[in-house]
Amino acid sequence: MADQDETTLAAINFYCQEKMYRHMYLSALEAIKKYGSDPVLLFFKAYALILEDQISEGMRELDAIRDKRDVILCTTMALMYAHKRCKTVDREAVQELDAHLKDVRKSAGEKALYFASLFLWHTGRHDKAREYVDRMLKVSKGAPEGQVLRGLIDLTCGRDAYVKKSGKYFEEALSGPNKDLQAMLGKARYMALRHNYSGGLDMINNAVVSYPGFMPALVEKMRLQLALQDWEQTLDTAHRAMNQQSHCLEAIRVEILHLLVREGNYDEAAVKLGELIQIMDRFEPKNPQLYCELSQAFCRVCGRSVQVLQQTYTLVERALSLDSSNAELSTEAGYELLLQNRPRDAMKCYRNAMKLDETSVAALTGIIKCQLIEGQLGDAEQQLEFLSEIQESIGKSPDILYLRAVLSRKKGKSSEETVALLNEASQTHFAELKGLPLGSQYFTQMNPDFLIEMVKEYLTFAPTEPSEAGQPVSPLLSRCASVLEPVTKAVPGLLEGLFLLAKVKFLSGQAEPAQSILQKCLDQNPQYADAHLLMAQIHLHLGNFSQSSQSLEMGLSYNFEVREMPLYHLIKARTQKKMGQNAECVRTLQAAMALPGVKKRSSSAMKRSKGHPQLSTNDRVSVFLELAEAYRVTDAQHEAAKIMQDAINAFSGTPEEVRITVANADLAINRGDVEHALAMLRNVPENQSYYVQARQKMAEIYLNHRKDKRLYAGCYRELAEKHPSPHTSLLLGDAYMNIQEPEKAIEVYEQAMKRNPRDSALASKIGQALVKTHQYGKAINYYEAALKTGGQNFLRHDLAELLLKLRHYEKAEKVLRMALEHEPANDLLTMIDDTKLLVMLAKVHHHANKMEDAMLALTKARDLQARVLKRVQVEQPDAVPEQKALATSICSQMAEHCSTQRDPEKAIKFYKEALVYTENDGKAMLELARLYLHQNEVDACQHQLVQLLQTDKENDNATVMMADLMFRKGEYDQATFHFQQLLERSPDHYEALARLVDLLRRAGKLEEVAHYVEEADKASSRASLEPGFNYCKGLNQWYVGHPNEALKHFNMARKDTDWGDKAVRNMIEICINPDNETLGGETFENMDTDTVSAAEKADSEQVAVRTAEKLVKELKPKPGSDQHAILSNYVLMATKSKNNIEKALASFMEMATSERENVPALLGVATAYMMLKQTPRARNQLKRIAKMNWNPVDGEEFEKSWLLLADVYVNSGKYDMATELLRKCIQHNQSCSKAYEYLGFIMEKEQSYQDASGSYEKAWKFANQSNPTIGYKLAFNYMKAKRYVDAIDVCHKVLATHPNYPKMRKDILDKARASIRI
């Protein structure tokens, strides 16, 4: 039987509830063909006919089944319902049917009661339906279909108490083994009503799987997916529904909405609307309400597209042809005619609606709208007064409030009154949207077109120039943004919404987000002239004049009508003026003045500007003022004065008159007539909209021209007294801050705070002012108090930043953790705030040397930011660049942390991730290249550097690294070339000079350093005082063997923030080892003897050690770096005390244990063992280092370790192994004097004196011929190789600086001379 067929009855019920009566009829008819003349199906077929106003035919079919037991009650009720729908009601027949109903109701069975309840539910009589279904449940002892129906009645009755209980009926029906289809649909709707769209979708998915051919389930699925704002899945379901049923109205509606709302593709949407009209004509031809409902959403989101509005109006016309007596349909027709800019036709429709329903507020509102457009302000005011009086009974209406605001503006009332009405209208409008899921009804209710018009009204009072950095954003612009952001989020295809949001962002001082939004507009529609013009304005504001011109030309190439827009000429002239093209600027502005509607606003100009925004009075004034300024610059003073007079005549009595006065004041200042300028500005009355700007100009004159801080502050004080508002209070506070009077600023801010205690931005300003006055304790207390009153999270951020600055790490951590202690948030703004707080927490941990905690905080921030980026692309597309930059910063910080912890592989991974977010991030690319270089991945490093130098040819750091890379590859000439290029560009680039000194040392060309040092000296008259220059000079002196000179220069750099640490480290190393000996080495231990007694040498060493100890204390440890500890340990070892050496050894061992490949720590361990004469243990550590890959960061340590291991091998007679290590040293540092000295020693031991003298020659050369020991050895080997003259020359050089050097004269000089005589 049909009543057992779940899908048929469910479909009929669904279509009846959706008011799709032809679909209901067809479903019943199809089932009759399948099951025969089933009374239930015949009843629904007849009822569908009645609903389609085929009343006679429906009643005939009901009469035929009125005695059938299962439908006896519902048939009687339906007949009564049909009689009441007739134009002439047969009262007698209704009474008879009522009596019959009372009679048969007493003996009705459960089926009859069920269908009676079902009928009553469909007709909206929920209480009566509940009464019948309760009786049915009692009789049937809780039949599942009765439970479902009771749930549906409660769910749709509109009373919250019943709605909350409805879920339990669906649960009971679904608790059995068979899953009831209508119970699943009901449960899904219940969940949706409770805003649990995901749960509802899961339930509807079960229905789709269990009943695959059931179309209403797919329709519900589409709606839930749309409520979840998942357009992609919604479209997939729509296509699936279309494949199943090509005339599925909901699927077609979704497709059209997607084209309009997401893509802004109005042409294709218009074509689809044509198809929809044909389908409606075929499958719902007698459904005026559905025709109208379909039209409503489409016309409000189409951006007034002519093609779309023609189609939507056709839908409304169809509805009116079916039900011409319906006032609501006539009102909708009027509204759509207004959207088509046909106010007179719209007025006819609204007046007709008023005839049909004299109480129609919507129709009366429409009439007022038409009157305002037509300029009938008196009539509109009368009608609005009436509506305002009855507003208490009908509730606040955003439309009425908006119309009152428009009237207020047109009648020239105060901007405060108008803006207050607009604020109330927007608040009321958005309050009505609360709780509505995204869908057709949401778009109708939201009415983006209405909100766009509201924003345009706001903008008439908003600033016309972008706010400067540090200035508070106008509350009007903030309000515009709060209206536009939900619109652009819900309807990103609405170009006008995006354009206006870009304009608001620009005027709020947010140029980059504005450009990002405009680019989206232009990607969607390259012919959008207004977007090109605004882009040009932004480029002009940012000083990108060529790009501004390019944007204008682009706009012109896509749309030649741009030339007829005065705004085009105005922007072009401003660009030309900035580029110094004054004559062209005058010609451009003259062309603008010649355009209709500029000198005088005319109706013909208004008609011609159709499709583009009219030239506002503000822009018209701008043309006059810019032309006057252009004449002044080109010395055409007479013409400038004439234009200014024309402007005064044209705009006298308008709000813009004051702006002309301000411009006149500017001209007077340029003439040097400051008094006249001030006199004009003083005459600006208080009630003028530009009064605030006039006072600001006066204040600027007092400060910049009169240099009178008292009068400067006085202007703002007067402004705050006469126009008390948060904005003027902020201006006064900011003025006090500008003249370095933060105490007074704090007073003003605090007074403003009393009026608005929850203004977090104001609280932040007070905190900053307190910090500026160094009242840190008070600032902390203030932030804490502000947070207790419900301050926003950015105040916690400011407080944590202050505590971090004061090194109160624990308190800062506590503040940030409190801010992060909340349930996991899905709100985008909260997620963005949390990411910033986590980044700050990581910074706190880093400074507190809690590296693991810092990494954990950054990991959380990274994961959260990944979620933010997914959401922000949909919800706030303009914020994508900013959020990507933050993601890049987080990944870079994680990479830096890993790099500090000597985990280069992870660091590389994080830098690569950073570059996924910001492809051309110079810092990340440079650091990644540096890591590749350290890892000896030369090709990868070069690839990164080439990419970086392509985007930033003058990136000095990249050039330095490229030179390092070339050196690594053995291409010394190429490396030097890169440095030469950089130092030719900027000879005083001390970072590059320091690297070049090191490079030339490693290349064995230290003699070339002097030229570059001289060039740097010439480049700046203060070079000798520059820390960077002294550092480079000290480095060179150290490398050429002049430690005392080096110390002197390093000392001049040691107090500098940039160079100080490096200079102090080098000074410590010189103090520890002034003669560059092999610390811990034994080979030359007893050979270096001079005339200085051992006691004097020991005293000198002790003085040096004490100096080193002082310097170590001066050096501040860096979080995450063990460099300070390493130097401290070397200073301990330099004392040569066994206890100190063992203490240093323990410290080095701890470092080496925590990080296995810590080269400096391993070298320290080996050196300590050598000093303790535990050579085998030292050798084991040094062998570990010898197996590692060389890297530039630990280059010096590698060199020292190889030398020390070579020393060990030399002492044990393993000359081949020692030679291999020494060659390695020379490969990486061709100036390594000590390596050549060891090689000479080995060859000398092997009695190869000629070869030994060659090695000693190089050792002598790279020691700058200043080391007497090497000189002695060289002379000795020259003598042994019978090179007596060379031996004598070296002896003379040594004795010239060290006249008492032992044995030099007796052992070598005298013998060499004697050998020559022989």
Side-chain angles (χ1 to χ4, degrees), residues 845-846 849-855 858 893-907 910 931 1118-1122 1151 1154-1158 1194:
H845 285 318
H846 183 76
N849 210 14
K850 296 179 179 178
M851 294 304 161
E852 286 184 14
D853 290 343
M855 193 63 175
L858 285 171
Q893 286 178 54
M894 293 177 82
E896 283 171 30
H897 177 86
C898 292
S899 186
T900 308
Q901 298 297 308
R902 296 178 182 272
D903 191 345
E905 288 181 5
K906 274 191 180 177
F910 287 126
L931 280 168
K1118 283 188 179 177
S1121 172
D1122 50 18
M1151 286 183 227
S1154 63
E1155 188 184 342
R1156 290 187 61 79
E1157 294 197 355
N1158 188 333
D1194 299 322

Side-chain angles (χ1 to χ4, degrees), residues 598-875:
V598 177
K599 278 189 178 178
K600 189 176 180 182
R601 187 179 292 282
S602 62
S603 57
S604 60
M606 287 169 70
K607 286 174 187 172
R608 245 194 301 277
S609 69
K610 188 179 177 183
H612 300 293
Q614 289 178 26
L615 186 71
S616 65
T617 306
N618 179 278
D619 286 335
R620 286 177 62 214
V621 171
S622 295
V623 175
F624 277 89
L625 299 184
E626 288 289 349
L627 182 54
E629 176 65 11
Y631 278 138
R632 187 192 66 77
V633 170
T634 53
D635 288 330
Q637 301 296 341
H638 176 71
E639 285 81 355
K642 185 176 179 299
I643 286 291
M644 286 303 292
Q645 192 56 51
D646 288 347
I648 292 166
N649 295 337
F651 301 101
S652 178
T654 69
E656 298 295 325
E657 185 180 6
V658 179
R659 193 170 154 219
I660 296 165
T661 303
V662 172
N664 250 334
D666 275 331
L667 286 173
I669 291 163
N670 287 327
R671 291 195 306 269
D673 194 350
V674 173
E675 288 306 319
H676 182 56
L678 287 170
M680 283 192 285
L681 292 168
R682 285 192 196 103
N683 289 331
V684 175
E686 289 175 36
N687 59 352
Q688 287 290 340
S689 58
Y690 280 94
Y691 176 73
V692 174
Q693 285 88 330
R695 288 287 149 180
Q696 283 180 278
K697 175 59 71 176
M698 275 181 72
E700 185 189 320
I701 294 168
Y702 283 133
L703 185 65
N704 298 329
H705 297 277
R706 286 271 199 88
K707 309 296 181 188
D708 191 329
K709 291 182 180 180
R710 187 180 58 81
L711 288 174
Y712 167 76
C715 280
Y716 286 107
R717 202 163 40 246
E718 184 186 348
L719 197 55
E721 287 167 3
K722 291 184 177 177
H723 283 259
S725 72
H727 179 60
T728 53
S729 292
L730 280 176
L731 286 174
L732 177 57
D734 291 349
Y736 280 131
M737 290 294 283
N738 287 341
I739 58 174
Q740 306 299 315
E741 293 188 13
E743 293 85 358
K744 289 183 179 177
I746 291 166
E747 284 179 31
V748 174
Y749 289 144
E750 284 179 341
Q751 285 170 8
M753 197 73 187
K754 285 174 187 173
R755 292 196 294 272
N756 192 3
R758 294 189 177 274
D759 189 336
S760 301
L762 196 52
S764 179
K765 275 183 178 285
I766 297 171
Q768 288 164 15
L770 288 166
V771 169
K772 198 163 187 178
T773 56
H774 305 291
Q775 299 179 55
Y776 299 122
K778 194 174 177 184
I780 291 168
N781 294 337
Y782 192 84
Y783 277 127
E784 287 172 349
L787 285 167
K788 284 175 186 173
T789 61
Q792 295 177 13
N793 263 350
F794 72 80
L795 282 182
R796 292 190 191 278
H797 191 281
D798 286 357
L799 175 56
E801 204 162 26
L802 175 58
L803 291 167
L804 176 61
K805 185 179 178 181
L806 298 173
R807 299 185 185 178
H808 297 171
Y809 302 131
E810 287 183 13
K811 286 184 180 178
E813 183 182 342
K814 186 180 175 184
V815 167
L816 291 167
R817 289 204 182 281
M818 281 177 69
L820 291 162
E821 277 177 7
H822 55 72
E823 292 295 317
N826 283 322
D827 172 53
L828 181 61
L829 290 174
T830 306
M831 287 163 69
I832 290 169
D833 284 344
D834 283 356
T835 306
K836 289 176 183 173
L837 291 167
L838 284 165
V839 171
M840 175 58 75
L841 182 61
K843 195 175 177 182
V844 170
H845 285 318
H846 183 76
H847 279 81
N849 210 14
K850 296 179 179 178
M851 294 304 161
E852 286 184 14
D853 290 343
M855 193 63 175
L856 182 63
L858 285 171
T859 305
K860 286 181 182 176
R862 169 174 160 255
D863 295 343
L864 188 57
Q865 188 64 8
R867 287 174 59 203
V868 166
L869 279 169
K870 282 183 184 175
R871 292 270 300 276
V872 86
Q873 287 171 359
V874 177
E875 296 178 31

Side-chain angles (χ1 to χ4, degrees), residues 264-313:
N265 189 342
Y266 302 133
D267 294 340
E268 195 175 336
V271 172
K272 285 276 182 190
L273 271 166
E275 293 171 14
L276 177 67
I277 292 167
Q278 290 176 1
I279 290 167
M280 277 291 295
D281 290 346
R282 183 177 169 195
F283 292 99
E284 284 293 336
K286 296 190 175 181
N287 198 331
Q289 290 300 328
L290 188 55
Y291 273 113
C292 182
E293 185 193 324
L294 287 169
S295 170
Q296 283 176 320
F298 300 143
C299 73
R300 284 159 174 78
V301 297
C302 71
R304 300 203 177 189
S305 161
V306 175
Q307 312 96 297
V308 175
L309 286 173
Q310 283 172 352
Q311 298 286 28
T312 59
Y313 189 64

Side-chain angles (χ1 to χ4, degrees), residues 137 252 320 595 793 813 1070 1209 1260:
L137 286 168
I252 298 166
L320 277 169
L595 290 170
N793 263 350
E813 183 182 342
I1070 292 171
Y1209 285 147
W1260 177 242

Side-chain angles (χ1 to χ4, degrees), residues 517-571:
I517 297 167
L518 282 176
Q519 195 53 56
K520 285 191 178 68
C521 289
L522 293 170
D523 290 344
Q524 200 168 315
N525 181 7
Q527 297 182 7
Y528 195 8
D530 297 324
H532 283 293
L533 293 181
L534 183 55
M535 187 71 92
Q537 277 180 287
I538 295 170
H539 283 310
L540 177 63
H541 176 70
L542 294 173
N544 305 328
F545 308 129
S546 58
Q547 286 176 286
S548 178
S549 296
Q550 192 179 346
S551 289
L552 289 173
E553 294 310 311
M554 285 283 283
L556 188 60
S557 66
Y558 280 116
N559 189 346
F560 284 115
E561 287 183 17
V562 166
R563 282 179 301 189
E564 296 177 19
M565 298 171 69
L567 190 58
Y568 164 80
H569 295 278
L570 182 60
I571 299 164

